[in-house]
Amino acid sequence: MKNLKYTILSLLLLTAIGSYAQNNVDPGRKQAIDSLALEKVKDLSKYISIIGNKETQFSESQRVMDRAEELFSPGSEMGVSSLNREEISYYKVREYFERLMALNYDKVTIKWYDIHYVSDLEQQPDGTYVGVITIYQRFEGSSNDGMTYKDTTKKDITIYVKKKETQIAGRIIEFWDVLLGDIRVTETSA
Amino acid sequence: MRIIQSLTFLIILFHSSVGQSGLTYEMKETENQLYASNKQINQFFRRFNGEEDDDGNRYYTSDKKYRDASLRKKYIPGLFDRETSQIDPNYARDFVRQITDKRSPAFLNFHEDDWFAEVTTEFTFKGRRISGLLYMRLQQQGQGYEWIIEDVAFDQFQKLFDKDTSSTKKFMHPLSHELDFMTLRKAFHGNNHNEQFTAKNYTPDFLTIFLYEMNQGNMKFETVKNVKFHFFSIDGWYFSLANFNRPGYNTGWLISSLVPLNGADQKKQLKDYIYNKN
């Protein structure tokens, strides 16, 4: 279902070779790219909720982590800081998920605010477009002895938008693909 | 056309918000605050320029409200830090009046403006953790843009250069050339400030020293501690942008200082000050 969803979204981003020479992404296409990127971010947020949930079986967590990793470009990292520790610690995406899974709470609830902000797309030297999507997460962890911890974190998620090629009915077609990249995680005072 | 309509409908079906309903009252309140926050520098640019609507949706050049003066007058006061920065209200009023002037409004341009980042970093240098500043700027490269390191400021480098310019400073006498410069031996012996043997207009290039130490493996990046931005892009004004992470409705990337500039000299003096060149 996930792949079908991405495929349908990607279909809107199809473009014949040579028909898209300009450097800027036009508003219509930008909105289609935003939708595909937001869909991936939405899936990531679901995966994070599942991985963090203490009721999720270990094997299921591993499977979800595999799926979540597929959303990212290779080598992506999470840069994490908190209100008490402004220094940024850097983790590989998988390592971040594993740390989330291993948190020492008996119950963990992860919710997402109904708010997101999508930046403009900027072209980097190699021609790939890059953007940042900001979302906010609410974390609540509690222990059986009554101790609870709550925080709200801002997640600034890099998205890479690349032109790729595929062959349909003998014709080479270009389409735009979206991958997630580095994520900056900041605890907010809100 | 029908296919496109069907696909668009499917997207609408798929594409709900990242979040979910069922938020608590406390979370709803927080959400309103987060909405008001300037969440990215990108959003600061858009709000400054009047390029997004009340719901945060992007206005494009073809939209009627794009860069609308009344929209900007509404947004721009909310772009100032109103809680801690003590910006002179008269300056703020003049600044807003200038940039929203109907005949010659001023806008920010991400690619072309004179603006740069000051990044507070930590490195390990010779076994010790040290703090320093990287000054970073956008540069056109290849098919797009990249951030580059324009300059650095590290106390550890700067304190090595304390040039004595007095009449009693050490020197190599003017007939040293007749002696095959054997005076070099005495000049360098036990001397930690050999910069006194350089030209009057010599200034050390700390970026080169930084790159040398990094490339030699003597310095290792550890972390970023803080980021702020300096803008010299509005004629006659300097302002800085800092991130305010606090509860309330005046948060995120906000103007933290605003200074009127009278002429190129003041602009240069302020830049030298920011770059630690004084």
Side-chain angles (χ1 to χ4, degrees), chain A residues 120-144:
Chain A
D120 294 325
L121 290 175
E122 288 292 331
Q123 208 166 11
Q124 55 182 41
D126 66 1
T128 304
Y129 285 92
V130 61
V132 173
I133 294 181
T134 300
I135 57 172
Y136 291 88
Q137 172 197 281
R138 174 73 161 181
F139 175 96
E140 287 183 32
S142 58
S143 308
N144 287 338

Side-chain angles (χ1 to χ4, degrees), chain B:
Chain B
M1 191 61 194
R2 188 169 287 174
I3 293 172
I4 295 290
Q5 281 173 345
S6 306
L7 288 173
T8 307
F9 176 69
L10 274 168
I11 281 186
I12 292 165
L13 277 183
F14 284 143
H15 177 60
S16 57
S17 171
V18 172
Q20 69 276 294
S21 54
L23 301 183
T24 61
Y25 175 79
E26 179 201 357
M27 284 179 75
K28 278 283 177 201
E29 173 66 19
T30 302
E31 191 167 88
N32 290 336
Q33 293 178 14
L34 296 175
Y35 174 75
S37 176
N38 292 317
K39 293 168 276 296
Q40 296 182 13
I41 300 295
N42 189 106
Q43 190 166 33
F44 176 87
F45 271 72
R46 281 191 198 166
R47 287 178 170 175
F48 187 99
N49 289 344
E51 295 172 359
E52 71 171 36
D53 68 13
D54 288 342
D55 296 322
N57 298 311
R58 179 88 160 95
Y59 279 137
Y60 293 94
T61 45
S62 57
D63 293 313
K64 199 177 163 191
K65 286 263 190 178
Y66 179 77
R67 294 192 169 182
D68 179 77
S70 57
L71 187 73
R72 295 186 75 207
K73 280 180 183 158
K74 189 168 82 174
Y75 272 139
I76 290 170
L79 301 180
F80 289 89
D81 167 33
R82 295 191 299 270
E83 296 183 21
T84 54
S85 296
Q86 297 181 330
I87 293 168
D88 187 322
N90 293 323
Y91 288 170
R93 190 196 58 225
D94 293 348
F95 178 75
V96 174
R97 189 183 292 154
Q98 180 179 324
I99 60 175
T100 58
D101 182 77
K102 277 191 177 163
R103 280 169 298 178
S104 58
F107 300 98
L108 296 179
N109 185 312
F110 181 75
H111 298 117
E112 291 166 18
D113 277 353
D114 184 2
W115 68 293
F116 55 92
E118 179 187 325
V119 185
T120 307
T121 55
E122 286 202 344
F123 287 78
T124 304
F125 181 50
K126 294 181 178 173
R128 283 179 54 221
R129 189 98 160 197
I130 62 164
S131 184
L133 302 174
L134 303 189
Y135 299 95
M136 306 189 64
R137 191 181 278 277
L138 275 175
Q139 167 180 279
Q140 189 164 22
Q141 173 68 28
Q143 298 176 61
Y145 285 81
E146 62 176 343
W147 279 98
I148 52 104
I149 304 167
E150 188 180 39
D151 206 349
V152 300
F154 284 86
D155 283 348
Q156 280 70 15
F157 298 160
Q158 275 157 333
K159 71 185 179 191
L160 289 173
F161 298 88
D162 183 19
K163 189 171 176 179
D164 184 354
T165 53
S166 69
S167 58
T168 58
K169 82 177 195 70
K170 284 183 81 175
F171 56 82
M172 287 177 276
H173 67 70
L175 286 177
S176 297
H177 59 289
E178 304 291 4
L179 310 171
D180 289 338
F181 289 101
M182 69 178 284
T183 45
L184 282 167
R185 198 178 112 81
K186 285 179 185 163
F188 290 147
H189 183 70
N191 190 350
N192 292 329
H193 287 285
N194 294 296
E195 65 274 15
Q196 59 196 310
F197 305 117
T198 59
K200 280 178 185 165
N201 61 357
Y202 165 78
T203 51
D205 174 4
F206 296 117
L207 178 58
T208 302
I209 297 168
F210 166 74
L211 295 174
Y212 175 82
E213 297 290 4
M214 286 294 284
N215 294 350
Q216 285 287 308
N218 297 330
M219 266 181 109
K220 183 173 156 270
F221 173 77
E222 293 294 343
T223 193
V224 169
K225 299 277 289 238
N226 192 37
V227 179
K228 60 181 171 183
F229 296 89
H230 303 280
F231 287 77
F232 288 88
S233 37
I234 302 297
D235 199 26
W237 294 94
Y238 156 82
F239 66 89
S240 65
L241 211 58
N243 192 18
F244 294 87
N245 185 358
R246 61 191 174 203
Y249 288 84
N250 183 227
T251 65
W253 291 103
L254 298 168
I255 295 173
S256 53
S257 64
L258 177 70
V259 178
L261 298 173
N262 293 317
D265 278 356
Q266 266 197 8
K267 187 173 175 177
K268 187 182 178 308
Q269 277 174 15
L270 187 51
K271 272 193 181 176
D272 284 349
Y273 175 75
I274 294 167
Y275 279 93
N276 255 311
K277 301 280 187 204
N278 287 344

Side-chain angles (χ1 to χ4, degrees), chain A residues 165-173:
Chain A
E165 287 181 6
T166 187
Q167 205 166 3
I168 298 176
R171 195 164 161 239
I172 293 178
I173 299 287

Side-chain angles (χ1 to χ4, degrees), chain A residues 97-126:
Chain A
F97 293 147
E98 285 167 350
R99 287 172 65 92
L100 174 64
M101 189 179 72
L103 282 177
N104 200 17
Y105 296 104
D106 295 304
K107 187 168 186 290
V108 168
T109 308
I110 293 174
K111 290 185 174 179
W112 300 87
Y113 288 92
D114 290 318
I115 193 164
H116 61 252
Y117 182 82
V118 187
S119 77
D120 294 325
L121 290 175
E122 288 292 331
Q123 208 166 11
Q124 55 182 41
D126 66 1

